Amino acid sequence: MSSAQIEIQLIACLVAVACAIPGTFLVLRKMAMISDAISHSILPGIVIGFFITQDLNSPLLILLAAITGVITVTLVEYVQKTGLVKEDTAIGLVFPLLFSIGVILIAKNANDVHLDVDAVLLGELAFAPFDRLFIGGTDVGPKSLWIIGIILIVTIALLIAFFKELKISTFDAGLSASLGFSPMLIHYGLMTVSSVTTVGAFDAVGAILVVALMIAPAAAAYLLTTDLKKLLALAILFGIFSALSGYWFAHWLDASIAGSITTMLGVLFLMVYLFAPSKGLIAVMYREKQQRIEVLLLTFLLHLKNHDEERERHVNHLNEHINWQKIRSKTVLDLALKNNMVSIDNNIVSLTEKGDEFTSKAINYIITNEDAQIEDMKDDFFLFRG
Amino acid sequence: MKEVQNKNLGEKNGTPASAGVLAVKVDDLTVAYNYKPVLWDIDLEIPEGVLMAIVGPNGAGKSTLIKAILGILKPIAGSVRIYGKPYDSQRSLVAYVPQKGSVDWDFPTTALDVVMMGTYGNLGWIKRPGQNEKKAALEALEKVGMLPFKNRQISQLSGGQQQRIFLARALVQDASIYFMDEPFQGVDATTEIAIINILKELRKAGKTVIVVHHDLQTVPEYFDWVTFLNVKKIATGPVKDIFNDDNLTKTYGINYKVSIQE
């Protein structure tokens, strides 16, 4: 690996981590679309900043663009507060306006400005190593690396300092306010960090990938864990994985790095979406199937409990009378036998003591919805897991 | 009792109760959403040590009243005093249980962690909860009978269990005044009894408990004070004095009969 390759991968990883942290909270606050709005509407901030500084990596430019991001959020909230449109509509109204101002500004000044729309949308990670930072004449590495590195350090410091405040205001804004942790202050803090990160990552990966890096890792992690700290860690890990695998995918295809990283994020999310152990599509489908069978089992057991007559409990009668297909009857009967809930004697099905007790408990639960009695059944039966 | 309580309060930064001061005093409070008043010129004096229900029809502004007292909503007029001082300086004396439906129960956290959030107020900014906070949270979980569920993800709890977790979170704040927004909504009978018993214990310990309540049937049984609210305050006082047909009719607009007072 050449040093340029290592530098590109390092930048990609730092960008991924810096995005995953605020992204996690955006996802939990159901504000994923806001990151899309920010990433587009900072464009005029970048353009104006560029006119002033003539340097895409100037701190002033980052500041200006980040302020545009916060203005976007404020505008969206203002439009929404009029009560005339909903939040998604407000987002859809505000960011195209700001973005188009940026596009016009670029087009009008295309001759003087070394900035084109393609690069803005998709970034140019491959060129990042060419723009280097010199301190006292010494080359200390690519400018983007320094910028995103500093942003990341600040983000991590803020995350550690305000983790508790972020958590409580995200989970319960009302309690947060009553305890003196202003949800508004924390909200704008998060928006500022998101804006700064977006600008810092913008140059490297472009407006579209920034959104993907913020949202996809957190969305995937959300399906895998129910612990906020693990969720953050997983999101960071997913970000790094996509950055590295995306880089090599692009290398192999000789294609856009930003595009490849986004593709990897998509693939990763799809995998998690399908195969996540409890929230994944396959797990959910399996659980629903099991629940269906369990409902049938309960129906069957209840029938046995209600009928003492042998006629009603004959295997053939069950097939005909409950009106199930043979295969379904067999599944249910097997499950009942496996759990020692029924016994079959001479083709007459009877409830065992265990089956009788189970049925009473289950019916009682369904009627009263009181959880306490069925705690021990939750492990065996999906039906009772709520 | 009084002395013990005062000593307890003295450890916090709020001003403790002293004789004759009202737990909560609301003056001329008006709250509006989009310039439409939802609470109009409310005067309310809540003495220390009562277990009070706030009743009124839907849209009467019951939750709004609590939120305005707690500074969650900005009133357009009026003032609120907690033990004679503004809420901001008395935060640590107040615990709040929001409506269960106001939070996302799919949030990635456990029962214990939610209860720990009750300790955040006294910790202040940046400082993190430690062993003491954890111990207090576990004790509160024990009190509401939820200790066995401490590590369970909150979406895996039933509605009644979630409400108990919220109650535990308020208990852990070890406050003097408890505000609860419909703690009995969507809970089973066992939980309702468990909750009311804890509220009665709080009152016995000299705490003031203010509950937004829907079920008029249970008002005389559960509470000793009641406030009738319908945008304006209709009446407030001891249940035995003011919980009658007249006030119910004034509040609910229809001819109301208290057939429930046997």
Side-chain angles (χ1 to χ4, degrees):
Chain A
M1 263 191 282
S2 73
S3 72
Q5 282 181 318
I6 292 171
E7 280 170 3
I8 290 171
Q9 290 177 67
L10 196 55
I11 293 170
C13 287
L14 294 187
V15 166
V17 178
C19 287
I21 293 170
T24 298
F25 289 98
L26 291 178
V27 167
L28 289 176
R29 287 166 172 248
K30 304 180 173 57
M31 292 175 60
M33 284 314 290
I34 272 285
S35 70
D36 195 22
I38 292 175
S39 71
H40 283 79
S41 61
I42 58 174
L43 184 61
I46 290 178
V47 179
I48 294 166
F50 189 77
F51 289 157
I52 300 170
T53 62
Q54 295 296 316
D55 177 5
L56 262 181
N57 287 319
S58 144
L60 179 69
L61 178 140
I62 291 179
L63 192 73
L64 271 176
I67 290 171
T68 328
V70 178
I71 290 175
T72 313
V73 177
T74 318
L75 275 178
V76 167
E77 272 160 18
Y78 180 78
V79 174
Q80 190 191 346
K81 234 177 233 161
T82 60
L84 300 173
V85 293
K86 298 250 181 290
E87 190 191 6
D88 56 343
T89 314
I91 292 175
L93 287 169
V94 169
F95 88 76
L97 171 74
L98 291 166
F99 185 70
S100 55
I101 292 173
V103 172
I104 292 171
L105 282 175
I106 293 180
K108 282 290 283 179
N109 301 281
N111 296 333
D112 326 319
V113 184
H114 170 65
L115 195 67
D116 65 86
V117 179
D118 278 357
V120 164
L121 287 178
L122 295 171
E124 233 357 307
L125 204 49
F127 296 153
F130 297 130
D131 191 7
R132 309 202 66 89
L133 181 69
F134 293 92
I135 296 178
T138 334
D139 179 359
V140 289
K143 272 188 186 168
S144 333
L145 185 63
W146 280 91
I147 288 169
I148 197 64
I150 291 166
I151 292 173
L152 179 58
I153 288 168
V154 174
T155 304
I156 290 174
L158 288 171
L159 173 72
I160 291 171
F162 297 110
F163 183 72
K164 161 179 123 252
E165 288 77 5
L166 274 164
K167 182 163 72 180
I168 190 170
S169 69
T170 303
F171 174 62
D172 191 342
L175 180 79
S176 179
S178 81
L179 293 178
F181 304 110
S182 161
M184 219 45 194
L185 193 65
I186 298 161
H187 171 72
Y188 275 99
L190 178 62
M191 288 305 123
T192 308
V193 169
S194 305
S195 299
V196 172
T197 307
T198 306
V199 190
F202 203 90
D203 182 34
V205 294
I208 294 171
L209 180 57
V210 172
V211 182
L213 273 174
M214 284 206 172
I215 304 309
Y222 184 76
L223 297 178
L224 288 172
T225 177
T226 53
D227 177 318
L228 181 54
K229 282 180 186 163
K230 280 185 200 149
L231 201 157
L232 265 166
L234 268 178
I236 289 170
L237 216 67
F238 286 162
I240 294 174
F241 168 79
S242 313
L244 295 179
S245 60
Y247 173 79
W248 287 103
F249 187 55
H251 188 78
W252 176 62
L253 279 180
D254 194 18
S256 148
I257 301 171
S260 302
I261 293 178
T262 317
T263 307
M264 281 302 156
L265 283 168
V267 171
L268 182 104
F269 180 79
L270 183 67
M271 289 298 146
V272 173
Y273 176 71
L274 288 176
F275 300 112
S278 73
K279 292 186 193 165
L281 194 64
I282 290 170
V284 167
M285 279 165 68
Y286 172 74
R287 193 160 58 232
E288 278 173 2
K289 180 171 162 264
Q290 288 304 112
Q291 282 182 344
R292 232 176 1 251
I293 295 173
E294 286 167 15
V295 170
L296 295 177
L297 171 69
L298 208 57
T299 314
F300 173 61
L301 293 177
L302 189 66
H303 176 81
L304 291 179
K305 199 174 157 68
N306 285 343
H307 292 280
D308 282 337
E309 320 86 289
E310 291 204 343
R311 187 172 56 82
E312 289 278 342
R313 293 190 283 123
H314 194 276
V315 173
N316 289 339
H317 167 83
L318 291 173
N319 280 339
E320 290 159 19
H321 207 90
I322 302 189
N323 202 12
W324 288 341
Q325 290 158 339
K326 270 225 161 94
I327 185 149
R328 180 175 279 184
S329 307
K330 195 172 164 356
T331 317
V332 171
L333 205 55
D334 285 350
L335 185 66
L337 281 170
K338 204 183 94 196
N339 281 293
N340 289 324
M341 286 172 173
V342 296
S343 56
I344 303 179
D345 187 24
N346 236 345
N347 277 341
I348 303 294
V349 189
S350 322
L351 275 179
T352 61
E353 210 168 289
K354 187 187 169 200
D356 190 59
E357 197 189 337
F358 173 84
T359 315
S360 312
K361 266 190 186 174
I363 296 302
N364 193 17
Y365 166 70
I366 287 164
I367 293 168
T368 61
N369 214 12
E370 272 174 38
D371 246 12
Q373 315 168 21
I374 50 133
E375 275 309 321
D376 52 326
M377 286 148 69
K378 281 193 179 179
D379 292 336
D380 297 330
F381 289 90
F382 289 104
L383 198 54
F384 303 119
R385 286 186 201 168
Chain B
M1 186 77 245
K2 197 82 187 171
E3 255 182 50
V4 173
Q5 194 201 342
N6 280 345
K7 190 174 150 266
N8 226 339
L9 295 172
E11 293 163 7
K12 300 183 174 181
N13 46 17
T15 311
S18 56
V21 178
L22 292 163
V24 182
K25 190 169 188 301
V26 175
D27 283 310
D28 306 325
L29 187 79
T30 298
V31 182
Y33 288 131
N34 296 325
Y35 311 110
K36 183 176 176 289
V38 282
L39 279 180
W40 209 319
D41 199 29
I42 306 289
D43 292 307
L44 189 60
E45 298 188 340
I46 306 172
E48 188 180 30
V50 298
L51 176 47
M52 186 181 92
I54 301 175
V55 298
N58 287 332
K62 304 183 293 287
S63 301
T64 308
L65 176 61
I66 288 188
K67 285 181 184 159
I69 292 174
L70 298 177
I72 298 169
L73 288 174
K74 282 256 169 300
I76 58 171
S79 69
V80 174
R81 289 279 183 277
I82 305 288
Y83 284 117
K85 290 192 171 175
Y87 176 74
D88 280 350
S89 60
Q90 301 282 57
R91 271 183 217 292
S92 64
L93 301 181
V94 177
Y96 170 48
V97 180
Q99 274 184 32
K100 191 162 64 68
S102 67
V103 305
D104 172 16
W105 289 94
D106 285 326
F107 191 81
T109 191
T110 59
L112 176 62
D113 201 40
V114 171
V115 178
M116 296 263 276
M117 288 180 191
T119 67
Y120 288 6
N122 284 334
L123 285 170
W125 289 85
I126 298 180
K127 230 178 121 193
R128 283 148 171 273
Q131 282 310 311
N132 288 340
E133 282 73 25
K134 191 174 173 187
K135 212 177 124 235
L138 290 171
E139 278 169 19
L141 276 168
E142 171 92 72
K143 259 185 226 165
V144 299
M146 287 293 293
L147 200 53
F149 303 92
K150 66 179 156 99
N151 291 324
R152 189 168 288 184
Q153 208 271 321
I154 52 174
S155 68
Q156 303 292 314
L157 299 168
S158 71
Q161 291 172 331
Q162 289 172 343
Q163 193 64 61
R164 286 177 195 224
I165 293 299
F166 259 21
L167 182 61
R169 190 177 69 177
L171 291 178
V172 93
Q173 286 182 250
D174 192 22
S176 302
I177 308 174
Y178 291 81
F179 288 93
M180 308 199 174
D181 203 343
E182 304 206 20
F184 304 116
Q185 197 184 41
V187 307
D188 54 77
T190 332
T191 302
E192 179 155 338
I193 293 165
I195 292 176
I196 196 64
N197 284 339
I198 289 169
L199 300 192
K200 285 179 174 170
E201 266 173 44
L202 286 172
R203 179 188 50 190
K204 251 187 231 156
K207 317 278 188 183
T208 309
V209 184
I210 296 144
V211 179
V212 170
H213 194 56
H214 250 302
D215 183 11
L216 292 170
Q217 306 269 345
T218 51
V219 169
E221 186 191 334
Y222 289 174
F223 300 96
D224 54 8
W225 272 62
V226 63
T227 293
F228 289 96
L229 190 75
N230 191 354
V231 185
K232 298 174 93 169
K233 188 192 77 181
I234 312 294
T236 186
V239 170
K240 60 178 167 37
D241 298 340
I242 67 157
F243 194 70
N244 53 36
D245 291 354
D246 188 31
N247 281 326
L248 282 165
T249 306
K250 274 187 202 158
T251 310
Y252 289 86
I254 41 171
N255 207 354
Y256 226 99
K257 287 274 175 264
V258 194
S259 50
I260 43 191
Q261 283 181 334
E262 302 100 281

